[in-house]
């Protein structure tokens, strides 16, 4: 346990444990290079949770594979703790970088404990015998991911979310300062997704690990990531603290698509509204206003607050809407009635 | 909570211990049964006397026990262990529970090597009368054949991502080797064909007492390699990428493993013929009874279980007594194929498939 804390403190001293300079990632097929991205320069902040976002095919997995050392960069330099990544032996590297992947495995017949124990392999001897110290670290990791009670269950008996937490515990016991996860929340339900990302956030801060995950769960990523890395096809990588990236309008450059827009208010993507019809809205309550606009947008209306000549909706609460037009005025007692009325307006 | 998990844990390891003890008892019982039971009835007390070195009143019995039954029983144990552990290693390294030496065509490759040597020598020797040099040439032929097929399968495994397709490629390679063997047969002498046919039915009596030390030493090398690979084999359960992230040198492990498997398959095939199914089915029987995929226990257990199954098959093959032997390759599928069918049908319920 003491050794554990010591190592944690050691990790804290270096601010940038890992950095990439002018990295070109891609594949080599024969003598031809297939470049996925060029000129990537990044510094890993230590003890933070980083989310790597990007559309399918942007090269997220390629970047993660290159960073984990599983694939060579076509050009550029990866430096870890002052050394070139390629000069570090596989054995040493396994104590610096651990991964959680989406690969097909055959671990159904192992217990959760045995799965987590596999992460100790870089530290154990030739036959992989676990010492008391190893056992203590495994128990600690199981506790950190909240799975102590399930340790004797077969992996086959665990849910997808529990299995993923087991994989994270496996990465934890590798005692690497850096953990890379390739879409750890894919195939999980919303509860498990939030649980996994919260867990990773906690681990990054409490255990002082630098955690980089690629994900499509933008909403959850925005809430809990310390940094966002946006991998944009043909436009390179943007990195920064989540809120900086967000409010600089970078989210709109993530997808090369005119049909969607990022809603900075709510942290989600919306389809771009291209409607011609306009309507005015007056509403005191923000939540009610938001959902009234949502309903009106769906009916093909743009909400315009300034224009006086437009039909006007006054929303008082979710059961009281007043619709005023030049010809008439009526009271509506539900969204259903409102939508029906608005649909026949033109 | 803590005491509860501990209890659970010790319950599991206790179960493992019992399973091991029962299997070892089965191994010893079957070993004795194999020495006692045969074409000629020899009283048990006579066998005891022969084995303990007191000798026997009957010269023939003395000869049968020492020169035939004991070497045959030991050969069966070692062959069974080799084939089973080869199957286990192939299943783990190819990430495919239905891989096995015969399905991937490795037996076939070894057979082709043996056929080439045997048939080109024109039946100048028969199976029962291996001289050391002829035996060595057969063994080397088998090893070369097995390694060539392993190399082909390995090559295709980098091209073909689907496990099922790789198995089918293995089966195709197996067909190709057997068609080449047919061609060789066509051009060979009648004696050559006959001795090849006899060898092809498979039996554990191919190793004489004189050859036993050589046989044991080569098999031991292969088995030691397999035991040395226990730790990386566990890592490989997670797949190649995870394993290499855990510091495993995939290429080295894979090469060692393939040479080990090649050696084991080659030597068993050269001596005992292409014995099918044990390599495929025994790892499953072992996992099902042990309820674990952890190679720390599973690999040694598969070794023992392979010996048990081979002894059982051998015992069945001598049932006709004085009327002769049932070919081993007629017995092994009857015991093993139902297991594979059971595993496939129940794969949703079986832990290690998920």
């Amino acid at each position: 346990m003491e050794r554990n804390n010591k190592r944690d403190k050691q990790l804290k001293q270096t601010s940038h444990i890992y950095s990439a300079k002018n990295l070109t990632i891609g594949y080599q097929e024969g003598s031809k290079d297939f470049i996925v991205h060029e000129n990537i320069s990044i510094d890993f902040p230590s003890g933070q949770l980083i989310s790597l976002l990007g559309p399918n095919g942007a090269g997220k997995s390629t970047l993660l594979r290159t960073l984990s050392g599983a694939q060579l960069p076509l050009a550029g330099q990866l430096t870890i703790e002052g050394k070139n990544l390629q000069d570090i032996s596989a054995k040493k590297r396994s104590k610096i970088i651990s991964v959680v992947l989406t690969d097909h495995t055959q671990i159904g017949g192992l217990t959760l404990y045995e799965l987590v124990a596999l992460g100790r392999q870089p530290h154990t001897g030739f036959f992989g015998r676990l010492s008391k110290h190893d056992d203590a670290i495994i128990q600690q990791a199981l506790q950190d991911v909240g799975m102590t009670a399930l340790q004797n269950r077969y992996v086959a008996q665990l849910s997808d979310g529990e299995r993923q937490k087991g994989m994270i515990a496996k990465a934890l016991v590798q005692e690497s300062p850096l953990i890379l996860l390739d879409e750890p929340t894919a195939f999980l339900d919303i509860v498990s997704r939030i649980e996994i990302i919260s867990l990773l956030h906690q681990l990054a801060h409490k255990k002082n690990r630098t955690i980089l995950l690629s994900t499509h769960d933008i909403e959850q990523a925005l809430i809990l990531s310390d940094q966002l890395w946006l991998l944009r096809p043909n436009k390179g990588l943007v990195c920064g603290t989540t809120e900086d990236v967000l409010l600089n309008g970078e989210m709109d450059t993530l997808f090369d698509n005119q049909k969607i827009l990022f809603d900075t208010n709510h942290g989600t993507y919306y389809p771009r509204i291209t409607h011609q019809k306009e309507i005015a809205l007056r509403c005191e309550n923000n939540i009610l206003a938001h959902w009234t606009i949502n309903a009106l947008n769906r009916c093909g209306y743009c909400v315009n607050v300034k224009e006086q000549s437009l039909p006007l909706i006054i929303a008082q609460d979710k059961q009281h809407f007043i619709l005023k037009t030049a010809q008439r005025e009526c009271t509506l007692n539900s969204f259903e009635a409102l939508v029906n009325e608005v649909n026949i307006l033109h | 909570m803590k005491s509860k998990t501990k209890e659970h844990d010790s319950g599991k390891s206790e179960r493992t211990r019992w399973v091991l003890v029962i299997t070892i008892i089965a191994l010893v019982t079957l070993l004795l049964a194999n020495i006692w039971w045969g074409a000629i009835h020899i009283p048990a007390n006579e066998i005891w006397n022969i084995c303990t070195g007191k000798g026997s009143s009957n010269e023939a019995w003395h000869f049968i026990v020492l020169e035939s039954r004991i070497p045959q029983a030991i050969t069966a144990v070692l062959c069974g262990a080799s084939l089973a552990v080869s199957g286990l290693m192939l299943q783990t390294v190819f990430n495919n529970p239905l891989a096995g030496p015969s399905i991937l065509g490795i037996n076939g490759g070894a057979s082709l090597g043996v056929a080439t040597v045997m048939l080109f020598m024109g039946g100048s020797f028969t199976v029962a009368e291996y001289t050391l040099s002829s035996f060595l040439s057969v063994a080397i032929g088998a090893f070369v054949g097995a390694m060539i097929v392993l190399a082909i399968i390995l090559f295709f495994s980098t091209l073909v991502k689907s496990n099922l397709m790789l198995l089918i490629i293995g089966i195709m390679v197996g067909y190709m080797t057997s068609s080449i063997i047919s061609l060789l047969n066509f051009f060979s002498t009648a004696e050559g064909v006959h001795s090849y046919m006899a060898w092809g039915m498979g039996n554990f009596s191919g190793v004489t007492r004189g050859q036993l030390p050589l046989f044991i030493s080569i098999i031991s090398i292969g088995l030691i390699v397999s035991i040395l690979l226990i730790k990386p084999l566990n890592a490989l359960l997670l797949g190649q990428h995870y394993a290499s992230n855990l510091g495993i040198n995939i290429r080295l492990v894979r090469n060692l493993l393939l040479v080990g498997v090649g050696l084991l398959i080659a030597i068993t095939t050269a001596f005992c013929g292409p014995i099918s199914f044990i390599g495929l089915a025994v790892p499953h029987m072992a996992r099902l009874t042990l309820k674990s995929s952890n190679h720390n226990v599973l690999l040694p257990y598969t070794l023992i279980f392979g010996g048990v199954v081979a002894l059982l098959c051998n015992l069945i093959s001598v049932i006709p007594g004085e009327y002769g032997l049932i070919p081993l390759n007629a017995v092994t599928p009857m015991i093993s194929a139902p297991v594979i069918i059971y595993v496939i049908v129940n794969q949703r319920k079986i832990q290690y498939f998920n």
Side-chain angles (χ1 to χ4, degrees):
Chain A
M1 208 49 39
E2 228 168 67
R3 216 177 109 186
N4 233 349
N5 289 336
K6 234 186 196 169
R7 177 144 176 95
D8 283 351
K9 264 179 210 153
Q10 251 176 16
L11 301 182
K12 222 163 230 170
Q13 282 163 4
T14 46
S15 59
H16 292 312
I17 48 162
Y18 194 20
S19 63
K21 232 181 192 173
N22 301 323
L23 203 65
T24 302
I25 59 169
Y27 298 90
Q28 214 164 16
E29 245 168 66
S31 57
K32 255 191 173 174
D33 284 353
F34 289 92
I35 295 172
V36 177
H37 271 281
E38 273 179 305
N39 277 324
I40 297 178
S41 292
I42 27 182
D43 281 320
F44 278 74
S46 108
Q48 297 201 348
L49 178 66
I50 309 160
S51 286
L52 175 63
L53 307 180
N56 281 336
K60 294 193 297 289
S61 296
T62 312
L63 180 60
L64 283 177
R65 271 200 298 273
T66 312
L67 291 173
S68 74
Q71 184 177 334
L72 290 176
L74 297 178
Q77 240 187 351
L78 285 161
T79 325
I80 195 151
E81 290 175 342
K83 275 187 222 140
N84 200 328
L85 182 72
Q86 284 161 43
D87 298 338
I88 301 174
S89 71
K91 181 106 188 170
K92 260 199 168 150
R93 197 163 53 201
S94 63
K95 295 179 190 171
I96 303 174
I97 304 172
S98 53
V99 295
V100 174
L101 309 167
T102 47
D103 287 20
H104 174 74
T105 59
Q106 314 177 65
I107 50 171
L110 296 181
T111 62
L112 174 63
Y113 182 92
E114 287 169 326
L115 161 63
V116 178
L118 288 179
R120 286 306 289 168
Q121 283 213 354
H123 302 266
T124 56
F126 194 84
F127 284 100
R129 272 190 72 90
L130 299 170
S131 66
K132 275 202 176 138
H133 174 65
D134 293 318
D135 180 64
I137 288 170
I138 293 164
Q139 290 298 347
Q140 182 62 45
L142 282 165
Q143 199 185 324
D144 290 336
V145 300
M147 303 255 284
T148 306
L150 299 179
Q151 59 178 300
N152 290 316
R153 288 261 184 97
Y154 285 105
V155 174
Q157 296 167 327
L158 303 177
S159 70
D160 288 344
E162 288 166 340
R163 211 184 274 214
Q164 203 59 273
K165 282 196 267 180
M167 284 298 189
I168 291 169
K170 182 232 68 157
L172 278 179
V173 302
Q174 266 178 266
E175 296 197 299
S176 59
L178 192 65
I179 302 174
L180 307 179
L181 304 98
D182 193 5
E183 304 207 11
T185 54
F187 317 117
L188 299 184
D189 61 27
I190 184 75
V191 179
S192 313
R193 284 173 193 217
I194 293 176
E195 209 181 357
I196 295 279
I197 299 204
S198 311
L199 173 68
L200 291 171
H201 175 257
Q202 245 177 47
L203 294 173
H205 289 252
K206 284 195 187 148
K207 302 273 149 184
N208 197 39
R209 309 292 170 98
T210 301
I211 301 179
L212 171 63
L213 71 139
S214 68
T215 183
H216 286 292
D217 289 318
I218 293 171
E219 285 166 63
Q220 273 85 50
L222 294 183
I223 296 168
L224 288 165
S225 315
D226 300 298
Q227 283 218 349
L228 282 189
W229 293 6
L230 308 184
L231 194 58
R232 305 165 304 174
N234 311 319
K235 276 183 242 157
L237 183 74
V238 174
C239 305
T241 298
T242 306
E243 288 71 19
D244 283 334
V245 170
L246 232 136
L247 295 179
N248 285 344
E250 300 287 4
M251 296 302 284
D252 274 330
T253 66
L254 184 55
F255 296 101
D256 206 7
N257 191 328
Q258 296 304 313
K259 286 181 189 148
I260 67 163
L261 264 184
F262 188 72
D263 177 354
T264 324
N265 273 340
H266 300 95
T268 50
Y269 282 93
Y270 270 87
R272 184 189 284 275
I273 300 154
T274 50
H275 319 302
Q276 301 301 316
K277 299 185 279 185
E278 288 190 318
I279 200 162
L281 172 70
R282 198 182 301 156
C283 180
E284 302 293 316
N285 180 335
N286 277 338
I287 298 172
L288 187 63
H290 172 71
W291 292 110
T292 311
I293 293 172
N294 192 56
L296 291 171
N297 284 163
R298 205 166 56 238
C299 297
Y301 284 93
C302 270
V303 175
N304 188 330
V305 195
K306 289 167 202 154
E307 195 68 45
Q308 297 295 324
S309 60
L310 291 171
L312 171 72
I313 292 169
I314 302 163
Q316 289 165 334
D317 64 50
K318 65 177 180 187
Q319 281 164 348
H320 292 95
F321 301 94
I322 299 164
L323 174 64
K324 281 186 185 169
T325 61
Q327 296 87 27
R328 65 200 173 99
E329 181 178 325
C330 58
T331 312
L332 303 157
N333 60 6
S334 69
F335 272 108
E336 188 180 350
L338 175 70
V339 167
N340 286 338
E341 200 58 38
V342 164
N343 272 337
I344 54 167
L345 206 58
H346 273 269
Chain B
M1 203 70 227
K2 192 136 206 185
S3 71
K4 196 182 163 197
T5 53
K6 270 235 170 88
E7 224 169 75
H8 187 84
D9 204 6
S10 70
K12 194 186 168 223
S13 63
E14 194 154 297
R15 185 180 185 282
T16 307
R17 207 170 304 133
W18 273 110
V19 168
L20 274 171
V21 167
I22 291 170
T23 314
I24 289 172
I25 293 174
L27 182 78
V28 174
T29 315
L30 279 166
L31 196 68
L32 295 177
N34 268 276
I35 294 170
W36 172 66
W37 181 267
I40 290 159
H41 177 73
I42 305 174
N45 61 329
E46 288 285 338
I47 289 176
W48 177 254
N49 287 340
I50 295 166
C51 291
T52 51
K54 283 181 201 148
S56 163
S57 50
N58 190 324
E59 253 329 285
W61 289 353
H62 194 263
F63 182 83
I64 288 169
V65 170
L66 288 186
E67 298 294 326
S68 160
R69 288 193 189 168
I70 290 179
Q72 191 170 342
I74 293 174
T75 307
V77 171
L78 292 177
C79 275
S82 305
L83 291 166
V85 91
S86 300
L88 176 65
M89 290 196 284
L90 290 171
Q91 288 171 9
T92 302
V93 79
F94 284 113
N95 197 350
N96 188 336
L98 290 178
S102 38
I103 280 214
L104 289 176
I106 302 163
N107 274 349
S111 302
L112 179 57
V114 172
T116 313
V117 173
M118 256 190 199
L119 300 174
F120 274 125
M121 288 186 165
S124 61
F125 56 89
T126 56
V127 195
E129 295 161 12
Y130 277 156
T131 60
L132 188 66
S133 68
S134 69
F135 159 69
L136 271 183
S137 49
V138 168
I140 290 168
F143 185 67
V144 171
M147 290 311 289
I148 289 174
V149 171
L150 271 169
I152 292 172
I153 298 294
L154 195 62
F155 167 72
F156 278 113
S157 77
T158 59
L159 292 185
V160 182
K161 290 293 165 229
S162 155
N163 282 331
L164 189 62
M165 294 304 139
L166 189 69
L167 286 188
I168 292 173
I169 288 175
I171 294 169
M172 292 303 130
V173 172
Y175 276 125
M176 282 163 70
T177 55
S178 60
S179 78
I180 299 173
I181 293 171
S182 307
L183 268 179
L184 286 176
N185 270 320
F186 183 77
F187 292 110
S188 164
T189 61
E191 293 93 343
V193 173
H194 179 78
S195 74
Y196 179 79
M197 289 278 282
W199 170 86
M201 290 187 217
N203 73 80
F204 292 131
S205 60
V207 185
T208 65
R209 198 175 152 195
Q211 294 162 343
L212 208 52
L214 182 67
F215 180 75
I216 292 174
S217 6
I218 300 178
I219 294 273
S220 303
I221 295 172
L223 294 182
I224 288 169
V225 168
S226 76
I227 288 168
L228 295 182
L229 290 174
I230 284 178
K231 182 177 169 182
L233 279 169
N234 274 334
L236 279 169
L237 286 176
L238 288 166
Q240 260 189 54
H241 295 119
Y242 272 117
S244 75
N245 175 254
L246 288 170
I248 306 289
N249 183 338
I250 299 286
R251 190 171 292 180
L252 176 72
V253 165
R254 194 134 87 159
N255 290 345
L256 261 178
L257 192 142
L258 294 183
V259 171
V261 167
L263 200 64
L264 289 172
I265 301 294
I267 216 73
T268 51
T269 307
F271 273 107
C272 308
I275 296 162
S276 54
F277 278 102
I278 286 184
L280 176 60
V282 172
H284 287 285
M285 300 180 190
R287 282 193 207 97
L288 288 172
T289 45
L290 202 61
K291 290 189 187 288
S292 177
S293 304
N294 187 343
H295 290 79
N296 290 349
V297 220
L298 179 62
L299 193 135
Y301 184 65
T302 305
L303 277 176
I304 303 171
F305 211 115
V308 170
V309 171
L311 283 172
L312 186 66
C313 291
N314 193 46
L315 205 58
I316 294 171
S317 79
V318 296
I319 280 178
E322 52 200 290
Y323 298 105
L325 284 172
I326 301 174
L328 210 51
N329 272 331
V331 181
T332 50
M334 295 308 277
I335 289 181
S336 308
V339 175
I340 300 304
I341 294 171
Y342 171 83
V343 166
I344 290 172
V345 171
N346 289 292
Q347 57 171 301
R348 275 172 194 284
K349 280 187 249 160
I350 296 173
Q351 268 119 17
Y352 60 79
F353 253 103
N354 293 302

